[in-house]
Amino acid sequence: MSAPSSPASQASEAYDVVIVGAGFAGMYMLHRLRGLGLSARVFEQGGGVGGTWYWNRYPGARCDVESMQYSYSFSDELQQEWDWSERYAPQPEILKYANHVADRFDLRRDIQFETRVDRAEFDERSSTWSVTTSDGKTVSASFVVLATGCLSNARKPDIKGLDIFKGPVYHTSNWPHEPIDFTGLRVGIIGTGSSGIQSVPVIAEQAKHLTVFQRTPNYSIPARNAPLTPAERKTFRDNYPAIRHFARWEARNGIYTELPDRGALDDGDNERRAKYEARWARGGLTFMSVYNNLGLDKTANDTAAGFVREKIGETVRDPATAKALQPTTYPIGTKRICIDTDYFETFNRPNVSLVDIKTNPIEEITANAVRVAGHDHEVDALVLATGFDAMTGSVARIDIRGRGGKTLNQKWAEGPKTYLGLMSAGFPNLFIITGPGSPSVLSNMIVSIEQHVDWIADCLVYMREQGLATMEADVDAEEKWVAHVNDVAHGTLYPQANSWYMGANIPGKPRIFMPYIGGVGVYRQICNDIAAKGYEGFVMGRAEQPRRAAAS
Ligand code: NA7
């Protein structure tokens, strides 16, 4: 497999594969392609590797999956040699790990930093992609892999007056590289998702006063973060083969934990409470896997939601603040559950106040205040913890043109359509890593990234061996997959929340449950079966006679 010599765009450089993004997905993809002897070029808009961990430098930023599991498994040497310092490593350490991987596998020489991919256009005659970058260059490639990340496109809220605010405005996912000192300042933070919940306790320790503007309260479980002891690391390392296997095949979300053997209503009140207490004491995302029906049965879910509300009520001393912090409008877990360190406790501090902006939305931002219900909350600095245009946002920023010049944005105007979350019909030789329609954000991302990268790499080997030049999703297979993803989601409680899983945080974005909720093991088996059947549901073509699948 080699890139053709006369691509349509007259591009000066030609590669087998262009990879967009040098986060965990892009880096591993590059590594695998090198191993196959393919030429690859990575374009990364940031100044370094790490993707979301390069940008999200806000105070308190950590992964919500334990570091011994939120780490690559493809190299045993790597997982044996890297020492994670804490149960949940802080962002700087995850970024350091990403840099270590880039150095260890000598990845940088094929990565061009500070370069955005603006446009990618498929030429049907030559079956190649022309990829135009922000430095004005165009290169050609037989394949393009979008490793653009699910949470990479910051959502800046459209609040009146934000542009006239006189003080600094920071977005959690585009945080400055130098440390920000809030000492002596009155700080306002808008947003109480994971980023807000992680940063509030840290900012509160510094700021003169912190005002938290909350639209929707979140269920949050204590992280119980702590240093990892050498013995704990050793236990993981000794058991990595079993742990990684379990994460790939047994755990729905790619995280190693005990599997529940019963539903919440199968236990009596006391036993159930004891189990919730034990999970609360242990901390972390696995709170939700104490029972097997919390995501399926509203009555079962109510028991867990009620338990967390009680905990908030016990923790927060002011009853009105406690009540405002207790989520009631959606089942627990149907928005991504948060994990925190002293989030609710922080509201007992005298320098922290909560403003409910659900009942009374922010009217406007003035030069020095946030106005709510006619009252000016004066602030010197603003933090926007308002999230992302998730799953499709970073792809949508690229002008991607497939067969017939149709853009991916046109095709996805009513919501993203993919086959397996890996390809979209009408866009040959364009792969998406952890795209919409795959488990992605409902899983330990690294587990899902490695699965997709390996699948794509195997697929490229198959194509090379079979003398195939093009591959794309078949329209019917894609329609069936989209319907299946939708059916599985609607068998659960998840669509009941206005979450970014549904696109509900972006005004005007179609409401479709984007990730595949069937579980990573089930999904992996489906992908493997499809590959074993000669990539069933994909249309493959030879260079001389490319077959055509009509774009939907
Ligand atoms: P999230 O989870 O999308 O949270 C964003 C928060 O910002 C959430 O509380 C939103 O309220 C709030 N928000 C968004 N827009 C506005 C406006 N216009 N006005 C007021 N409040 C607003 O993003 P995060 O960065 O915290 O976390 C994303 C994921 O990263 C997380 O799940 C982890 O997987 C890692 P809403 O709930 O929409 O009412």
Side-chain angles (χ1 to χ4, degrees):
M1 193 181 293
S2 66
S5 55
S6 58
S9 65
Q10 318 274 304
S12 54
E13 293 166 34
Y15 300 96
D16 289 323
V17 185
V18 158
I19 300 168
V20 189
F24 283 100
M27 285 201 294
Y28 181 43
M29 190 78 246
L30 172 61
H31 177 66
R32 281 301 317 268
L33 293 176
R34 283 226 193 115
L36 299 178
L38 296 174
S39 63
R41 187 77 175 153
V42 183
F43 294 107
E44 164 57 54
Q45 66 177 345
V49 297
T52 203
W53 299 106
Y54 176 86
W55 298 103
N56 283 265
R57 297 167 185 247
Y58 60 85
R62 285 172 201 280
C63 187
D64 55 7
V65 176
E66 295 182 27
S67 300
M68 293 301 292
Q69 301 204 54
Y70 187 85
S71 48
Y72 286 122
S73 68
F74 70 82
S75 159
D76 193 45
E77 294 80 15
L78 175 65
Q79 67 183 7
Q80 295 296 335
E81 78 196 6
W82 180 265
D83 277 343
W84 291 108
S85 66
E86 295 175 50
R87 184 176 175 191
Y88 302 94
Q91 173 271 336
E93 190 172 333
I94 302 175
L95 191 58
K96 201 169 150 202
Y97 172 74
N99 277 287
H100 170 74
V101 172
D103 293 336
R104 194 186 194 290
F105 297 97
D106 188 22
L107 299 178
R108 287 178 212 282
R109 64 186 155 90
D110 288 322
I111 305 174
Q112 186 174 324
F113 293 107
E114 289 175 349
T115 311
R116 231 183 25 250
V117 169
D118 289 331
R119 185 180 164 104
E121 183 170 16
F122 186 69
D123 179 72
E124 296 190 52
R125 276 181 307 117
S126 61
S127 294
T128 55
W129 284 92
S130 292
V131 178
T132 306
T133 46
S134 53
D135 57 356
K137 289 197 180 141
T138 298
V139 301
S140 77
S142 305
F143 295 87
V144 171
V145 177
L146 299 175
T148 41
C150 296
L151 297 168
S152 307
N153 193 10
R155 157 107 184 102
K156 202 170 171 199
D158 188 14
I159 301 175
K160 188 178 160 200
L162 188 53
D163 49 337
I164 61 158
F165 182 68
K166 287 277 185 286
V169 178
Y170 306 102
H171 195 293
T172 46
S173 74
N174 196 1
W175 200 263
H177 288 205
E178 66 279 6
I180 301 300
D181 186 2
F182 290 114
T183 306
L185 298 182
R186 297 165 303 174
V187 181
I189 181 166
I190 301 173
T192 51
S194 195
S195 305
I197 282 178
Q198 287 186 337
S199 52
V200 158
V202 185
I203 297 174
E205 280 185 6
Q206 258 188 7
K208 184 171 162 202
H209 191 89
L210 176 64
T211 309
V212 181
F213 297 92
Q214 171 191 269
R215 190 162 69 181
T216 310
N218 251 303
Y219 296 96
S220 188
I221 309 294
R224 311 284 181 213
N225 189 34
L228 272 177
T229 63
E232 284 168 330
R233 282 197 291 262
K234 183 171 185 323
T235 305
F236 258 100
R237 284 177 177 150
D238 290 350
N239 294 293
Y240 256 142
I243 288 170
R244 300 300 200 183
H245 184 272
F246 185 97
R248 289 181 196 128
W249 289 102
E250 310 291 333
R252 291 177 67 81
N253 59 4
I255 300 173
Y256 176 78
T257 190
E258 310 93 297
L259 285 181
D261 63 351
R262 63 184 63 206
L265 307 176
D266 298 331
D267 278 337
D269 289 352
N270 291 343
E271 201 170 343
R272 190 167 53 236
R273 179 155 196 104
K275 285 188 183 169
Y276 286 146
E277 287 285 4
R279 291 280 174 145
W280 184 265
R282 188 202 295 179
L285 281 182
T286 59
F287 180 84
M288 287 301 288
S289 30
V290 60
Y291 289 116
N292 60 19
N293 60 349
L294 295 183
L296 301 172
D297 178 330
K298 178 70 168 59
T299 313
N301 186 288
D302 285 343
T303 64
F307 175 85
V308 175
R309 280 193 292 270
E310 263 180 51
K311 287 289 183 195
I312 298 170
E314 286 166 16
T315 309
V316 180
R317 286 199 288 272
D318 173 55
T321 306
K323 188 156 188 286
L325 286 166
Q326 288 167 325
T328 53
T329 55
Y330 60 97
I332 185 170
T334 55
K335 273 173 179 262
R336 187 166 173 123
I337 204 164
C338 301
I339 65 164
D340 72 271
T341 299
D342 295 338
Y343 176 65
F344 295 115
E345 289 82 348
T346 298
F347 290 91
N348 294 331
R349 294 175 66 109
N351 69 332
V352 175
S353 49
L354 181 72
V355 176
D356 170 16
I357 52 169
K358 183 70 143 194
T359 330
N360 297 298
I362 295 174
E363 284 164 30
E364 64 178 309
I365 293 177
T366 67
N368 65 344
V370 179
R371 186 169 297 157
V372 179
H375 177 79
D376 278 4
H377 300 270
E378 290 193 4
V379 288
D380 306 305
L382 265 178
V383 175
L384 305 176
T386 44
F388 303 86
D389 182 357
M391 305 210 64
T392 55
S394 50
V395 174
R397 283 167 68 184
I398 309 169
D399 182 10
I400 298 171
R401 292 169 186 262
R403 288 201 189 278
K406 186 171 182 176
T407 70
L408 194 61
N409 283 333
Q410 286 166 339
K411 181 177 169 187
W412 286 8
E414 302 303 318
K417 281 189 173 182
T418 69
Y419 181 38
L420 300 177
L422 276 160
M423 289 194 122
S424 193
F427 297 84
N429 293 8
L430 177 82
F431 292 102
I432 313 166
I433 298 180
T434 63
S438 72
S440 57
V441 290
L442 293 175
S443 67
N444 176 350
M445 286 303 293
I446 303 215
V447 172
S448 288
I449 283 169
E450 288 190 330
Q451 185 238 337
H452 267 185
V453 169
D454 289 339
W455 193 93
I456 293 168
D458 290 348
C459 176
L460 294 181
V461 170
Y462 173 86
M463 291 180 75
R464 179 163 64 185
E465 286 170 353
Q466 302 291 319
L468 297 165
T470 61
M471 168 178 189
E472 69 181 288
D474 172 72
V475 177
D476 290 340
E478 179 170 286
E479 288 295 338
K480 282 194 191 118
W481 181 253
V482 169
H484 174 63
V485 171
N486 202 40
D487 285 351
V488 179
H490 282 86
T492 74
L493 301 174
Y494 277 73
Q496 292 188 20
N498 286 327
S499 65
W500 54 258
Y501 297 140
M502 297 285 292
N505 62 330
I506 304 296
K509 190 166 174 174
R511 302 241 172 150
I512 286 178
F513 193 81
M514 292 184 281
Y516 178 58
I517 202 170
V520 296
V522 169
Y523 174 78
R524 181 181 289 264
Q525 190 63 57
I526 293 170
C527 290
N528 287 0
D529 289 348
I530 284 169
K533 288 183 200 154
Y535 295 91
E536 187 180 54
F538 290 96
V539 181
M540 306 277 205
R542 295 183 189 283
E544 315 78 60
Q545 311 163 307
R547 285 173 57 195
R548 198 184 163 105
S552 59

